[in-house]
Amino acid sequence: MPSTPAPTPSTATPVTARQAITTDPGYQAFWILRVGFTVAPVLFGLDKFTNLLVDWPGYLAPWINDVVPGSAQDAMHAVGVIEIIAGLVVAMAPRFGGWLVAGWLAGIIVNLLTIPDYYDIALRDFGLLLGAVALARLGQRYHGTARH
């Protein structure tokens, strides 16, 4: 009994971004991660200038503070600028921005592992790193998906 061949990608009906966001779990995950990794770095980056959420200089390992010029707060201002830029890159090009955020989180993890009693935060940031890698991979998958 002959079987009906499966549709090939060239013969399948194209799916618009609007349809995908309501039906494709992978595309939904991509957008959840894209929005999260845009908003969080921008907000945390801005907070490096105000210290409303936490006293950010306390999260800088002493050995790094000894290496970078200026004070720990000056270093946090630089970190804030980098985080804001990383969030904007995620917004514009998540397949690249995800890797940028993952690399940045790797640096934060190294910093935190050299400060006693910050291992739980390093572990949390490792989970965020995995999410950023997932975003980069999903960004590659959904790159060029039409926006409607």
Side-chain angles (χ1 to χ4, degrees):
M1 180 186 295
S3 63
T4 305
T8 62
S10 61
T11 62
T13 304
V15 176
T16 67
R18 182 170 289 153
Q19 291 168 325
I21 199 70
T22 60
T23 60
D24 180 358
Y27 196 62
Q28 293 166 355
F30 165 69
W31 271 100
I32 290 167
L33 292 169
R34 185 177 189 173
V35 170
F37 280 108
T38 295
V39 173
V42 169
L43 290 179
F44 287 134
L46 290 171
D47 195 57
K48 299 299 190 291
F49 294 91
T50 63
N51 293 313
L52 291 175
L53 296 174
V54 69
D55 180 32
W56 291 108
Y59 287 84
L60 186 64
W63 68 272
I64 294 177
N65 192 29
D66 293 341
V67 173
V68 297
S71 67
Q73 185 59 60
D74 293 336
M76 286 298 121
H77 290 158
V79 166
V81 169
I82 293 167
E83 288 175 343
I84 292 166
I85 291 169
L88 295 175
V89 172
V90 167
M92 294 182 293
R95 65 188 181 161
F96 301 118
W99 291 116
L100 176 62
V101 170
W104 185 248
L105 285 163
I108 291 171
I109 292 166
V110 169
N111 169 71
L112 291 171
L113 289 174
T114 63
I115 305 172
D117 300 326
Y118 285 82
Y119 305 128
D120 58 329
I121 300 169
L123 181 60
R124 179 209 58 202
D125 285 352
F126 179 71
L128 289 171
L129 182 150
L130 295 176
V133 169
L135 170 63
R137 297 300 299 136
L138 288 167
Q140 185 68 36
R141 163 67 178 88
Y142 293 107
H143 174 68
T145 302
R147 292 181 178 100
H148 292 93

